[in-house]
């Protein structure tokens, strides 16, 4: 369906060589101006572990056509390499935990798992939009919870 087409177009964009894609000036992840493709009313930001699970499911079902095979294989390799969660049950538990963090934008939630910073200070430095959203103790507690679901 339409959501599947959006998913694949986002994966295609992610696979481009850095510096080759054109980013509109109005987009700025540090200020959560992510563009229409990432509007939380239309789609949600995926954690790498979720993207990996979706790709694995497509592979197991044989839903990979020849015209998307190259992008699919690169995306699968990327998610395999950077997925630090590994277990589907943990991926689901993390999503449930993060969905309770309503003060955080879906992009911020996904980035906390994808980047898995060690401390609130590190999180706020690599995800600037977190600066004034959540206090350090709450964020440190959340990061410890998230780390308990991952494989280091």
């Amino acid at each position: 369906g339409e959501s599947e087409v959006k998913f694949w177009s986002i994966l295609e964009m992610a696979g481009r060589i850095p510096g080759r894609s054109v980013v509109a000036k109005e987009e700025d992840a540090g200020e959560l101006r992510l563009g229409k493709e990432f509007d939380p009313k239309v789609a949600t930001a995926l954690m790498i572990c979720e993207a990996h699970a979706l790709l694995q499911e497509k592979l197991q079902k044989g839903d990979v056509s020849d015209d998307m095979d190259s992008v699919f294989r690169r995306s699968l390799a990327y998610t395999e390499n950077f997925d630090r969660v590994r277990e589907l049950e943990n991926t689901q538990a993390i999503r449930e935990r993060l969905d309770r963090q309503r003060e955080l934008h879906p992009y911020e939630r996904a980035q906390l798992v994808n980047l898995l910073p060690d401390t609130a200070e590190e999180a706020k430095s690599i995800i600037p939009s977190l600066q004034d959203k959540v206090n350090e103790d709450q964020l440190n507690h959340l990061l410890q919870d998230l780390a308990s679901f991952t494989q280091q």
Side-chain angles (χ1 to χ4, degrees):
E2 186 177 326
S3 63
E4 185 174 327
V5 170
K6 286 182 183 179
F7 173 73
W8 288 109
S9 66
I10 289 170
L11 285 179
E12 271 188 323
M13 288 188 300
R16 290 189 181 148
I17 298 170
R20 294 249 175 119
S21 62
V22 177
V23 177
K25 290 181 183 177
E26 63 272 1
E27 294 177 9
D28 183 345
E31 295 181 15
L32 296 177
R33 291 191 318 256
L34 304 171
K36 65 183 179 184
E37 294 88 358
F38 294 96
D39 181 345
K41 296 174 195 136
V42 177
T44 190
L46 292 178
M47 299 176 292
I48 292 170
C49 53
E50 290 173 315
H52 186 69
L54 289 171
L55 294 170
Q56 287 284 35
E57 183 179 329
K58 274 193 126 10
L59 184 64
Q60 290 170 355
K61 288 182 178 178
D63 286 347
V64 183
S65 64
D66 291 339
D67 62 324
M68 65 180 183
D69 187 60
S70 174
V71 172
F72 180 87
R73 298 281 173 203
R74 286 193 323 249
S75 299
L76 184 62
Y78 178 89
T79 60
E80 178 73 33
N81 190 39
F82 291 103
D83 177 8
R84 293 170 66 184
V85 178
R86 304 286 181 206
E87 301 297 326
L88 186 57
E89 297 80 22
N90 288 345
T91 298
Q92 293 166 336
I94 288 170
R95 174 55 68 187
E96 289 171 12
R97 173 69 170 95
L98 288 174
D99 284 348
R100 292 192 302 263
Q101 301 300 132
R102 291 285 175 209
E103 71 278 11
L104 299 179
H105 187 279
Y107 172 81
E108 294 167 324
R109 296 177 205 161
Q111 290 302 80
L112 285 172
V113 177
N114 293 342
L115 301 172
L116 207 60
D118 291 323
T119 65
E121 180 182 3
E122 181 183 0
K124 290 180 178 189
S125 72
I126 59 178
I127 309 169
S129 59
L130 292 175
Q131 286 299 331
D132 299 320
K133 278 198 172 174
V134 61
N135 75 44
E136 298 234 346
D137 290 338
Q138 290 173 314
L139 189 51
N140 277 320
H141 182 71
L142 175 61
L143 293 171
Q144 289 171 351
D145 283 354
L146 295 176
S148 72
F149 291 107
T150 64
Q151 296 177 352
Q152 299 296 325

